[in-house]
Amino acid sequence: MNSLQNTQRRQFLKLGTLAATAAWLPSAARAQDAKTAAGTAYTLAPLPYALDALEPHIDAKTMEIHHGKHHAAYINNLNTALATAPALAKRTLPELMSGLPPVEDEALRNTLRNNGGGHWNHDFFWNTLTPADSSGKPSDDLAAAITAAFGSMDTFKTAFGEAATKRFGSGWAWLIRQGDKLKITSTPNQDNPLMKGLVHDPDLGTPLLGLDVWEHAYYLNYQNRRPDYITAWWNIVNWDTVSKRFAGK
Ligand code: MN3
């Protein structure tokens, strides 16, 4: 990709012609920059905090393996797959995920679904977290929307926790925005609310908050106690970031 195309791509991302998807643009733009900066491949961005910064809620060893091994593996697998599909490699990650069904090669489609989703979801997840002493609180606008949709912050957390607890096996719980409405949903494996037209279509919308409930996210510290991990996780949610996503920034 030449520099003009890069500039055009960035301008497109900045313009955010799809207002409803603006919330993922900062993260997606970073992922795209990481890719073009490296020439042909996505790269693993450093965590925006130290490995032990989320303790005691998420321990350093879990973060080291989760980021350095699991997330890195999704990126490696994604790059390997895209090396065989030059036309698909030109897409941004959100474009790739929302355009999966027309990919005829089933093995390639599944690899892109699992590993493209794996890369995007984890990039989103790391940037949703912050040390407990800087967790903050939702903006007034987001707090009002949560109250309008779920009754109160406490009932929202209970409902979100239930979605995360009941997700059978591996997957994610999400707070998404559909137009002006907030909704809680969950997806299996590495699917996410940006993936349109799958056989098992997820609830589509703009992700504001996502929680990884794969065992690799919590098993070292919490073993089978997924609800304890979910309860602890609320202490390290970066509400400033979530509020900016809600505001479309
Ligand atoms: Mn994970």
Side-chain angles (χ1 to χ4, degrees):
M1 189 176 290
N2 64 37
S3 61
L4 177 60
Q5 285 172 316
N6 276 339
T7 303
Q8 288 171 334
R9 179 71 62 92
R10 291 201 180 91
Q11 283 174 340
F12 170 78
L13 289 168
K14 279 180 187 168
L15 285 171
T17 50
L18 301 169
T21 59
W24 49 251
L25 287 176
S27 180
R30 267 198 314 282
Q32 186 63 25
D33 284 349
K35 183 182 181 185
T36 52
T40 58
Y42 288 102
T43 53
L44 181 66
L47 289 169
Y49 33 72
L51 288 172
D52 62 359
L54 306 180
E55 292 190 345
H57 308 293
I58 300 181
D59 62 284
K61 190 67 178 175
T62 294
M63 291 300 291
E64 179 186 345
I65 297 170
H66 198 177
H67 176 258
K69 303 294 185 188
H70 290 279
H71 188 179
Y74 296 123
I75 293 173
N76 289 339
N77 293 337
L78 176 63
N79 287 335
T80 300
L82 288 176
T84 70
L88 295 173
K90 292 176 183 169
R91 298 181 183 180
T92 65
L93 202 45
E95 286 169 351
L96 191 68
M97 293 187 298
S98 64
L100 283 168
V103 177
E104 291 183 1
D105 180 332
E106 185 180 356
L108 176 62
R109 186 172 67 244
N110 287 335
T111 298
L112 296 175
R113 178 177 181 173
N114 292 331
N115 294 285
H119 178 27
W120 192 92
N121 293 351
H122 285 85
D123 183 61
F124 187 85
F125 186 58
W126 309 135
N127 287 289
T128 302
L129 303 180
T130 192
D133 58 7
S134 57
S135 175
K137 58 181 186 178
S139 67
D140 290 348
D141 285 350
L142 177 56
I146 287 173
T147 300
F150 307 105
S152 72
M153 191 65 183
D154 284 345
T155 51
F156 159 64
K157 286 186 176 180
T158 299
F160 190 94
E162 282 177 5
T165 302
K166 289 176 180 171
R167 164 50 56 192
F168 184 77
S170 298
W172 293 74
W174 304 94
L175 173 67
I176 60 174
R177 187 178 60 197
Q178 295 175 323
D180 358 337
K181 291 184 181 167
L182 295 182
K183 183 177 182 181
I184 293 167
T185 187
S186 77
T187 55
N189 304 314
Q190 296 295 354
D191 286 359
N192 65 47
L194 303 178
M195 293 181 178
K196 291 187 286 196
L198 302 179
V199 174
H200 300 290
D201 214 355
D203 290 312
L204 299 176
T206 303
L208 304 179
L209 180 64
L211 172 57
D212 187 343
V213 294
W214 284 57
E215 285 190 344
H216 70 221
Y218 63 85
Y219 204 85
L220 284 182
N221 198 24
Y222 295 95
Q223 293 83 45
N224 61 326
R225 303 189 309 277
R226 186 191 284 187
D228 290 352
Y229 158 69
I230 296 167
T231 299
W233 173 80
W234 288 114
N235 292 299
I236 50 172
V237 169
N238 188 335
W239 282 111
D240 184 46
T241 294
V242 178
S243 298
K244 285 177 178 169
R245 289 171 181 157
F246 176 72
K249 292 177 185 169

